[in-house]
Amino acid sequence: MKVPEKAPQPLSAADVDRIIEMGWEDRTPFEAIEAQFGLAEKDVIALMRKMMKASSFRMWRKRMTGRSTKHLALRADDMDGFKSNQQRAISMNKISKR
């Protein structure tokens, strides 16, 4: 007997924006998106295809193809966080100077 899957929760506009932002980030793996929003990689791709301009989607797909940082299993062992060392720290709604 097959157990019915739980119906996905509708995404708010803020959720969709965050998913697209996380999709564009090099160091945020698809597994992190799935853990936070319950969307598998194929669902993220479908969402981005639907919500982005065609040219932007093609540019994103070209950029993401073969990128090892988007998959936890393909990452280097020394890469443990989602945040780049080069990324500026944000504190009190202002970007800190280096």
Side-chain angles (χ1 to χ4, degrees), residues 13-38:
D15 289 343
V16 171
D17 286 346
R18 181 63 185 138
I19 292 167
I20 291 173
E21 183 180 350
M22 290 173 79
W24 272 102
E25 292 169 350
D26 289 344
R27 289 184 169 241
T28 303
F30 288 114
E31 291 85 354
I33 298 171
E34 185 170 9
Q36 189 171 351
F37 295 101

Side-chain angles (χ1 to χ4, degrees), residues 18 31 60 91 95:
R18 181 63 185 138
E31 291 85 354
W60 175 74
S91 104
I95 298 175

Side-chain angles (χ1 to χ4, degrees), residues 78-97:
D78 62 343
M79 189 183 304
D80 57 357
F82 301 144
K83 184 178 170 186
S84 168
N85 293 338
Q86 301 298 317
Q87 187 173 348
R88 292 182 176 177
I90 299 174
S91 104
M92 303 300 286
N93 293 330
K94 293 185 179 182
I95 298 175
S96 301
K97 295 181 180 178

Side-chain angles (χ1 to χ4, degrees), residues 51-68:
M51 301 305 290
M52 295 169 62
K53 293 189 313 186
S55 60
S56 296
F57 176 77
R58 283 192 303 272
M59 182 178 13
W60 175 74
R61 285 300 289 161
K62 183 177 180 182
R63 194 165 164 257
M64 289 299 115
T65 301
R67 188 168 295 268
S68 63

